[in-house]
Amino acid sequence: MTRIFALILAFAAALLAPQAAHAQDITAIRFGEHATHTRVVIETRTPARVRAHTLSEPGARLVLSFESASWAVDGLPDAAGLGAGLVGAFRFDDAASHPRLVFSLSGPANIRQQMSLDPAGGGYRTVIDLEPVSQAAFASVSGFPQAAATITELVAREAGVGFTPESCERIRVVIDPGHGGRDPGALARFGGMHESGVVLAAGLALRDILNESGRYEVIMTRDTDVFVDLYDRVRIAREARADLFISIHADSAGDNSGPQGATVYSMNARAESRARDRAITDGNWVDISRPEEVSRILVEMSIANKRSQSELFAEALRTEVGRTAALWRSTPMEANFAVLTDAETPAVLFEMGFLTNREDSRRMNDPAGRRRLMQAAAAAIDTHFAGCGATGWTYWAANTGAPAAVASAR
Ligand SMILES: [Zn+2]
C-alpha cells in the first residue's frame, strides 16, 4: 500500500473519529419562502459544526453533515417532516458516523450562502439560503465527486509526485506476462514463440534484473505456461499491495507486417470508470458504517493517484524503451484493458513490439534483445521510484484535519 493511501485512510479516520463529547442537539428547523430564495434555519443547543452540499443523483438533495448531532425537535418524533419553498421532505439520519439532515429539493438549487448565528431567543442558528438555478449549473456544483476532484487536484498539486510506497527499500512490483496456457495470444508469424511464450520469457528476465538490484520485491502473476484469468491478475496485484503493476504483451497487426515498435498503455477514461464502478460495488471500499460520500472520496483519490502514477511511469518507460527500440506511436496511449481497471495499483500494459513485424519478432525472440527491452523497463522502474520517500508526507501530516479542506474545496 502506498503511503499516500495510508494518509488517505488517516484523513478518513480523522473525518470519522468519534467526537460525541458535546452533541449538537437539533432543537428546531424552520423554512422561509422568499421571492428569490428559500431559507433553511436549523437551531442547535451548542454551535453546530456542519458542512452543507447539494447532490444531484438520485434526485436533487441538500445534505447537511454534522460533526455530531442528535434529534431533539419537539413535535417531530419521527425525525422527519416537510419543508417549504424549494424544500420538500426532510429527514434526520443518525445511522451514519456523521449525522446528516437530508432535504429533498423540488428542483435544481444552489447554496447561495451559509451562515452561523448566535442565539436570538432560541438556539444557535445555521442558516442556509437556497436559490433556484438551471439544471446545468446545479449539476456543475453538486455532488461529492466534484468536491473529491477538487481535493484530488489539491493533493496532486501539493503532493506532486510525492506518492511513496510503504517501503522504499522493498518496492513491490507485480510483473504480469500476458496470456498463457490455453491462450497463446498473438501467434508467431516469423518463427519463434507465440506471444504467451515471448512475454513469459521477458517477464522472467525482468524479474531477474529487478531481483539483482535487491531493491524490489517481485511478484509474478504467472511464472509458467498457465492460463490466469484477467481479474485474478488484478487481484494478485491488489492483494500484494503492489506499488506498480506492469503487464507485458506482444502486439499483432494481423496480416499487416508494417506496424512496428513498442507501445505503453495506461488506463483511459472508460477503464477509469470501470475501476470506479468496481470499487464502489467492491466490499473493500464501501463500509456502511461511514457516509457513502466518504467512500466515494476515497475511491476518487485512489483512482486519481493511480492515474497520475501510471501516466508518470508510462512516460518513463516510453523514454527508456525509446533508447533501444522503435516506438509504435509518439504520443502517450491509453486503453480500456481489463488489467488496468483496478482503482488502486498504478498499472501499465507494455506491448514490447509486433510479432507480426519481422524486426520486432526477431528482437523479442532473441534473449539479448529481450534483455535490452527489460533493462529499459527496469531503468524506467528505477527512475520512477528514484524520489521514493522524498515528498508528500509533510503536507499530509499537517493536514490530516482535512475536513476543513473538504469544506473550503466546495
Ligand atoms: Zn497480448
Side-chain angles (χ1 to χ4, degrees):
M1 182 162 65
T2 62
R3 190 177 294 164
I4 198 165
F5 185 65
L7 284 163
I8 290 169
L9 292 181
F11 153 71
L15 197 62
L16 301 175
Q19 302 172 43
H22 7 261
Q24 300 150 4
D25 286 350
I26 298 168
T27 51
I29 297 184
R30 295 190 301 275
F31 301 90
E33 236 179 314
H34 301 266
T36 57
H37 63 279
T38 297
R39 173 162 286 189
V40 182
V41 181
I42 295 105
E43 285 195 6
T44 48
R45 263 193 251 284
T46 54
R49 296 194 56 179
V50 58
R51 286 184 286 132
H53 61 274
T54 53
L55 293 175
S56 57
E57 297 287 344
R61 282 168 294 159
L62 166 70
V63 179
L64 305 188
S65 299
F66 292 82
E67 191 177 69
S68 71
S70 56
W71 186 256
V73 180
D74 285 340
L76 293 174
D78 295 334
L82 285 175
L86 289 165
V87 178
F90 66 86
R91 66 186 160 76
F92 179 69
D93 172 16
D94 66 352
S97 307
H98 279 257
R100 288 180 288 182
L101 258 173
V102 181
F103 303 85
S104 67
L105 301 178
S106 60
N110 282 352
I111 297 167
R112 188 162 80 180
Q113 64 172 343
Q114 175 180 346
M115 297 176 287
S116 298
L117 302 175
D118 288 339
Y124 289 86
R125 289 163 295 164
T126 297
V127 178
I128 288 162
D129 287 344
L130 295 165
E131 60 180 350
V133 292
S134 70
Q135 185 62 45
F138 181 62
S140 75
V141 302
S142 283
F144 256 94
Q146 196 74 22
T150 311
I151 294 164
T152 301
E153 284 160 15
L154 200 79
V155 172
R157 190 172 64 240
E158 295 296 335
V161 290
F163 142 88
T164 313
E166 217 166 76
S167 163
C168 292
E169 287 71 47
R170 287 303 275 174
I171 290 163
R172 297 192 192 101
V173 178
V174 171
I175 300 172
D176 173 46
H179 311 278
R182 61 182 149 89
D183 170 17
L187 300 181
R189 170 110 170 254
F190 298 101
M193 295 181 277
H194 297 317
E195 181 183 355
S196 59
V198 169
V199 300
L200 176 58
L204 293 172
L206 178 57
R207 177 192 66 183
D208 292 346
I209 294 167
L210 293 180
N211 279 342
E212 278 163 28
S213 80
R215 192 178 178 206
Y216 302 99
E217 181 180 337
V218 178
I219 299 105
M220 306 289 294
T221 57
R222 69 179 182 98
D223 55 10
T224 58
D225 185 22
V226 293
F227 177 81
V228 182
D229 180 81
L230 291 176
Y231 291 104
D232 284 340
R233 298 169 192 255
V234 175
R235 190 179 47 73
I236 288 166
R238 197 186 308 125
E239 288 179 2
R241 303 200 300 174
D243 300 308
L244 182 68
F245 176 95
I246 175 168
S247 191
I248 302 176
H249 287 253
D251 234 330
S252 164
D255 292 337
N256 186 353
S257 63
Q260 179 185 9
T263 318
V264 183
Y265 292 94
S266 57
M267 68 174 173
N268 66 7
R270 180 69 198 116
E272 198 176 308
S273 159
R274 283 167 79 188
R276 185 175 292 115
D277 288 350
R278 287 177 50 207
I280 286 166
T281 54
D282 184 330
N284 291 336
W285 282 95
V286 175
D287 178 346
I288 55 165
S289 72
R290 70 187 177 208
E292 173 195 327
E293 292 86 351
V294 172
S295 294
R296 289 181 182 274
I297 287 178
L298 296 179
V299 169
E300 291 307 319
M301 292 180 84
S302 182
I303 288 176
N305 179 57
K306 168 183 173 151
R307 179 178 54 225
S308 67
Q309 293 307 317
S310 302
E311 288 170 3
L312 283 169
F313 176 67
E315 188 54 43
L317 183 53
R318 283 163 41 77
T319 302
E320 292 297 336
V321 170
R323 297 184 207 278
T324 186
L327 293 172
W328 180 48
R329 289 280 188 265
S330 58
T331 52
M333 300 290 283
E334 297 181 341
N336 178 21
F337 294 124
V339 289
L340 303 180
T341 60
D342 175 61
E344 262 177 69
T345 315
V348 303
L349 187 141
F350 177 30
E351 299 272 11
M352 296 185 292
F354 285 81
L355 272 183
T356 46
N357 174 271
R358 189 180 293 276
E359 194 183 323
D360 280 3
S361 175
R362 190 187 302 124
R363 180 187 293 108
M364 288 186 284
N365 274 289
D366 168 30
R370 275 200 303 271
R371 187 167 173 85
R372 279 197 303 278
L373 282 167
M374 292 303 111
Q375 278 167 335
I381 293 169
D382 283 341
T383 301
H384 185 67
F385 290 109
C388 184
T391 57
W393 175 260
T394 312
Y395 172 77
W396 274 95
N399 285 276
T400 36
V406 176
S408 63
R410 285 291 313 150

